[in-house]
Amino acid sequence: MFALVDCNSFYASCEQVFRPDLRGRPVVVLSNNDGFIVARSKEAKALGIPDLEPVWKVDHLLRKHKVAVFSSNYPLYGDLSSRVVTTLRQYAAEIEVYSIDEVFVRPWAADGDLKALGHTMKNAVWRDVRIPVGVGMASSKTLAKLANRAAKKVHALEHVCVVSTETQRQWLLKRADIEDIWGVGRRLGKQLRYLGINTAWELSNADVKWLRKRFSVCLERTIEELNGVSCLELEEAPPAKKQIYCTRSFGEKATALPPVLQATALYATRAAVKLRKQKHLVKLIHVFLQTSPFDKNHYARSCTIQLPYPTDDTRLIVAAAQRGAKHLFKEGYQFLKSGVGLVDIVDKTYLQSDMFTPAQPPKADALMSVMDSINAKYGTGSVHTAAEGVKKKWAMRQSYRSPSYTTSWNALPRIQC
């Protein structure tokens, strides 16, 4: 059996953990630069506030209903997510962190009562982390996804849905729309509707071989999973990324070169940290720079820079990225966004070199290790390259950001007894 534990309205729920006065009130969380709504509490959804909507379009609704508005606080969300995972490890030997708010586990119940175990996991996460979750259990990951959806939608299930019999499987599939299935997006769903397949039940009974020829082997696996045959195993260690990108919009449009270079240095630094975490080196980087797509004279250009040797040295990556940004920059434009991508990545463990090929010096490895250790202990950015600058007027807007209650000593919540 597989269980999917999915946090309800995760970002909004995280904002309520240290603000119990917000429970029962509408809460929304905004995207980078406070541009769009990316998360809503159930109370905000009930007010008809749409998802992924520009804030200015619904500002009247937010004011009218006194909605609590927050900027994205990813350090807080990441830390609370890891606490949810830690709690769930008590109830499973195998676990896969699928996303920041979803976790697959192999549930194990000594008495065989999976429904009771589901309620135990749900209650434990609420007790320890104060995050509400839904639990779906089934014999395949795709069915567990649908079961989790039912756990949230069907009030009588009390946020726990276990699919262990054929009757329960049929009940679930007959009520699931074709686009509710994991791996079936809007485009594929439209094509399947054209063929008369509108529900998960109809897809599970379709001609597998014919659909495989028309679409792909992935759809065949999905059908097998809907029929209770497990084709997807847990990935306890996520695979290393083949490319690493860090891109952001500026909080304030840049018309001069210095802020563009500073932003490029910051994004290159963040990408390099991710590269070292997965123990890889980069040989080629991609840099892009663009204005707003709504500007009359829209400008968007990119370039690639070959590094002298495979490296994870922040200094080398930042210097190359800034060379690219200088090449792309043009006077007279108001730049809105830039980004750095590490596109040609190799595994550091299996890299083969010879005496005639330049390689990263051991001192660089030691320096990067010290730099990462300091930032891990004292907070991201405690030690950084001077190229990032100090006063960052171009930095991302976060006008409504909550304190980092669990990751910053200065933001620890105060309790009066």
Side-chain angles (χ1 to χ4, degrees):
M1 292 289 284
F2 294 89
L4 175 66
V5 182
D6 186 6
C7 302
N8 303 338
S9 304
F10 183 59
Y11 289 177
S13 295
C14 288
E15 297 294 351
Q16 294 173 320
V17 170
F18 294 97
R19 289 285 305 277
D21 58 302
L22 295 178
R23 297 201 182 279
R25 283 184 53 193
V27 176
V28 299
V29 178
L30 308 181
S31 64
N32 293 333
N33 282 313
D34 298 339
F36 292 80
I37 293 174
V38 295
R40 305 158 295 159
S41 66
K42 63 179 181 180
E43 293 81 10
K45 294 175 183 177
L47 293 174
I49 298 173
D51 194 20
L52 300 177
E53 189 79 1
V55 176
W56 62 268
K57 281 191 175 183
V58 294
D59 186 58
H60 63 288
L61 276 176
L62 301 179
R63 293 178 183 275
K64 178 182 178 181
H65 298 287
K66 298 181 180 179
V67 178
V69 179
F70 291 94
S71 302
S72 298
N73 188 344
Y74 297 115
L76 175 65
Y77 307 155
D79 184 70
L80 292 179
S81 174
S82 67
R83 292 172 187 239
V84 170
V85 173
T86 299
T87 299
L88 292 174
R89 288 191 187 279
Q90 304 172 50
Y91 306 97
E94 298 177 78
I95 193 165
E96 174 189 342
V97 181
Y98 179 66
S99 68
I100 194 170
D101 63 342
E102 292 179 288
V103 182
F104 281 107
V105 301
R106 285 275 197 181
W108 179 80
D111 57 358
D113 191 344
L114 292 174
K115 190 170 183 64
L117 177 63
H119 282 286
T120 299
M121 290 193 292
K122 175 177 73 74
N123 295 335
V125 173
W126 174 255
R127 181 195 65 220
D128 296 348
V129 196
R130 274 299 187 263
I131 295 290
V133 301
V135 181
M137 295 189 191
S139 56
S140 70
K141 292 171 79 172
T142 303
L143 274 178
K145 270 269 193 181
L146 287 177
N148 186 279
R149 183 180 179 84
K152 292 184 176 182
K153 298 290 184 181
V154 182
H155 182 72
L157 292 175
E158 298 179 331
H159 302 285
V160 176
C161 178
V162 178
V163 179
S164 57
T165 67
E166 178 61 20
T167 302
Q168 292 170 338
R169 186 184 73 87
Q170 292 186 20
W171 176 89
L172 180 68
L173 297 186
K174 288 176 181 178
R175 286 160 179 78
D177 185 78
I178 190 68
E179 292 183 17
D180 293 339
I181 303 171
W182 188 31
V184 178
R186 184 174 299 177
R187 183 179 299 177
L188 178 56
K190 186 176 180 180
Q191 295 176 9
L192 292 172
R193 289 187 198 281
Y194 180 77
L195 298 173
I197 301 173
N198 298 293
T199 67
W201 174 249
E202 291 171 346
L203 181 61
S204 69
N205 288 286
D207 188 331
V208 178
K209 301 301 179 184
W210 184 81
L211 286 175
R212 174 176 177 170
K213 289 180 181 179
R214 186 180 178 95
F215 297 101
S216 68
V217 67
C218 294
L219 185 59
E220 180 184 18
R221 289 184 187 136
T222 297
I223 295 172
E224 293 290 340
E225 289 252 324
L226 290 175
N227 285 302
V229 180
S230 177
C231 301
L232 304 171
E233 290 301 317
L234 289 184
E235 294 181 359
E236 295 187 71
K241 294 181 179 179
K242 296 180 180 179
Q243 294 184 346
I244 297 173
Y245 269 85
C246 184
T247 66
R248 293 287 187 278
S249 296
F250 304 147
E252 182 180 293
K253 289 184 179 180
T255 56
L257 181 59
V260 171
L261 293 180
Q262 289 177 3
T264 302
L266 174 62
Y267 305 155
T269 297
R270 290 178 175 174
V273 170
K274 294 178 182 178
L275 182 72
R276 290 194 291 274
K277 281 185 178 179
Q278 65 178 44
K279 294 180 171 55
H280 278 56
L281 305 173
V282 62
K283 297 190 288 184
L284 186 73
I285 68 173
H286 175 232
V287 181
F288 75 85
L289 187 62
Q290 69 180 53
T291 61
S292 169
F294 302 105
D295 287 354
K296 290 182 179 179
N297 298 321
H298 177 55
Y299 177 91
R301 297 289 185 275
S302 66
C303 65
T304 55
I305 299 96
Q306 184 74 44
L307 295 169
Y309 48 80
T311 182
D312 62 5
D313 189 336
T314 294
R315 299 168 300 170
L316 193 62
I317 296 172
V318 165
Q322 286 193 319
R323 287 200 305 272
K326 285 180 182 178
H327 173 72
L328 298 174
F329 180 82
K330 281 191 176 182
E331 294 285 351
Y333 289 96
Q334 293 183 323
F335 291 100
L336 179 66
K337 187 176 184 179
S338 72
V340 176
L342 312 182
V343 294
D344 189 358
I345 293 175
V346 294
D347 193 324
K348 192 174 185 177
T349 307
Y350 304 108
L351 180 68
Q352 293 183 346
S353 58
D354 55 67
M355 62 183 297
F356 302 106
T357 304
Q360 180 163 290
K363 287 185 177 180
D365 291 330
L367 178 61
M368 291 301 105
S369 178
V370 171
M371 187 174 176
D372 290 340
S373 299
I374 293 173
N375 287 331
K377 185 174 182 178
Y378 296 103
T380 302
S382 297
V383 177
H384 60 81
T385 60
E388 295 179 26
V390 179
K391 295 182 179 180
K392 304 171 183 176
K393 293 183 178 180
W394 48 267
M396 185 170 59
R397 286 196 307 272
Q398 292 185 309
S399 303
Y400 312 102
R401 178 167 167 164
S402 57
S404 297
Y405 297 105
T406 62
T407 57
S408 171
W409 289 106
N410 296 326
L412 284 176
R414 296 182 179 182
I415 301 174
Q416 294 181 349
C417 299

